[in-house]
Each structure stands twice: as structure tokens, then as C-alpha cells.
Amino acid sequence: MEWGSTKTLSSSRGSTKTTSSSRGSLNGYVNKQNCRIWSEANPQVYVETPFHPEKLTDWCALWAGGIIGPYFFKNDEGHNVTVNGDRDRAMITNFFIPELNNHDVQELWFQQDGATCPTARATIDLLKDTLGDRLISRFGPVNWPLRSCDLTPLDYFLWGYVKSLVYADKPQKLDHLEDNIRRVIADIRPQMLEKVIENWTSRLDYIRASRGSPMPEIIFKM
């Protein structure tokens, strides 16, 4: 398949360029349905979590040659906000497309995850105006399966790697956390990204050869 190459840009709200977004909160808080504490006796422990923790939402795209972003979603007053369709399209128009124009987009394929905002019809139309048929996405010219995080480099590599480092100095303010995210992403070297994309193509090769069978654990090791 032509798009299984280092010319893919992958995005995740985060080669085909792959894109993705991620939500970070202070103190490394992660939303989980359940918390279990194993003990032979009642440990008399309680877990305190904030009801509405301060958080920010950032977006990145990566390919074998580099990373576009991070982009932080903010309102006109500069306050951190969550993503909706209008904000996602504003990011594409005002940030992503200008950055993309600095690269060789003639041979570049774009892959994104299946979240609602990036796959809204208006958003897909906007991306197709720039990328044509070189769009790998739910509802795009090349369809991409839902919940395929193991085939999305930003999900299986970037966000976990970033989150493992940005809380090291225990940031107490969102501005501090944002600075840490920018620094960690800026420090990622092309050699690391090349290995990530090599791993990604190995995953695609296995899925094609096995007709969608579960991947062995070894493929998850970078």
C-alpha cells in the first residue's frame, strides 16, 4: 500500500503524517473509571482526585522527518479550552496548513485518528481541499478503522513518551506544563522518529499479512 511509508504524516489531537490530540492535567492526573488497591487487610486508604482538574489540550503531527506542533487549544482570551469542530478547523487553517506548506506535500499522505471533531464532514472537506485523496481518515478517501490506537504512532509512542517526562519537575501551573511539553517535543530527534515509523510499517505489514489478527507483543517493543 502506497501510504505505508515514511511519507505519511500522522496526526493525533498525537510517515503518513499522523495527527492526534492529547489532554494533560496538573500533577499527572489521568481519568480512570476505577481505582483498585490490593491488600490482605483493609489498607484504610482513600484516593483523592480533583473533580474538575485544570487541563490543557494539545495537538501534534509527526512523520519520519519531524514533528509539527505542539498546538495548544486556547480561546481569544488565551485560556485553555477543549476541542470542538470550529476550533479544530481553525487550527487546521491557521496553524497546520501553513506549517504543512513548509514541507513537500506533493508526496505526503495524511493520517488522523477517528475522533469526532477531526472527522466531521466540514473538517474532512477542509482537509481534502488541501490534500486531495492523500487523506487516511474515517470518512476520508482512504478509510481508517475506529479505535486503532495500536496503528497510530502518536497514541502508541508520542503521548506516552511525553507524559513520562513532563511531570518530572511536578509542574504546578498550566503554563509550566505547557513549557515542559514544548521542550520535550522539541528535544525528540529525527533518529527516534525514524525508528517509530519503522515500527509502524512493521505493524502494518503484520496486519496485512495476518488479515487483521492481533499483533504479537514483540511488535509493541520500540
Side-chain angles (χ1 to χ4, degrees):
M1 298 176 69
E2 182 179 0
W3 49 267
S5 71
T6 57
K7 283 292 187 180
T8 299
L9 175 66
S10 179
S11 94
S12 169
R13 201 193 52 245
S15 141
T16 299
K17 267 192 181 177
T18 298
T19 72
S20 175
S21 64
S22 176
R23 184 171 295 168
S25 61
L26 295 175
N27 303 321
Y29 170 73
V30 177
N31 183 28
K32 295 181 179 178
Q33 285 185 316
N34 300 293
C35 178
R36 298 177 177 86
I37 299 174
W38 300 96
S39 176
E40 294 182 356
N42 187 340
Q44 302 296 330
V45 172
Y46 67 91
V47 177
E48 184 176 349
T49 60
F51 188 61
H52 291 297
E54 290 187 275
K55 52 186 174 290
L56 50 78
T57 302
D58 54 318
W59 174 99
C60 277
L62 70 78
W63 79 109
I67 295 177
I68 292 179
Y71 174 92
F72 295 90
F73 288 90
K74 299 178 184 289
N75 60 19
D76 293 340
E77 289 74 39
H79 299 145
N80 291 289
V81 292
T82 56
V83 186
N84 59 29
D86 289 339
R87 290 167 183 156
D88 194 56
R89 288 186 288 276
M91 180 276 297
I92 292 170
T93 301
N94 300 323
F95 176 76
F96 175 59
I97 292 177
E99 290 287 331
L100 192 61
N101 288 336
N102 294 325
H103 303 282
D104 180 14
V105 297
Q106 298 303 315
E107 299 180 5
L108 195 66
W109 288 74
F110 179 85
Q111 173 210 342
Q112 65 176 5
D113 59 16
T116 302
C117 293
T119 56
R121 177 171 297 179
T123 307
I124 294 294
D125 289 344
L126 176 60
L127 289 169
K128 287 171 66 177
D129 286 343
T130 299
L131 299 159
D133 290 337
R134 291 175 286 109
L135 173 61
I136 306 164
S137 171
R138 184 185 180 200
F139 305 134
V142 178
N143 198 22
W144 191 248
L146 288 172
R147 293 174 290 278
S148 56
C149 56
D150 294 333
L151 297 176
T152 304
L154 289 101
D155 290 332
Y156 71 74
F157 161 68
L158 184 67
W159 298 131
Y161 176 79
V162 170
K163 289 177 179 178
S164 72
L165 298 175
V166 297
Y167 295 109
D169 59 356
K170 297 180 173 56
Q172 299 301 307
K173 299 290 184 181
L174 287 180
D175 288 346
H176 186 181
L177 178 59
E178 181 176 325
D179 289 342
N180 284 358
I181 293 171
R182 292 185 187 277
R183 173 180 50 78
V184 169
I185 290 177
D187 286 344
I188 295 175
R189 303 270 70 86
Q191 293 84 349
M192 180 180 291
L193 297 177
E194 289 173 3
K195 290 182 179 179
V196 170
I197 298 304
E198 287 175 5
N199 181 271
W200 178 69
T201 56
S202 296
R203 294 172 185 229
L204 294 177
D205 290 342
Y206 181 86
I207 290 296
R208 284 196 294 261
S210 66
R211 297 182 179 273
S213 296
M215 287 183 288
E217 182 181 358
I218 187 64
I219 292 182
F220 293 89
K221 296 178 181 179
M222 299 298 297

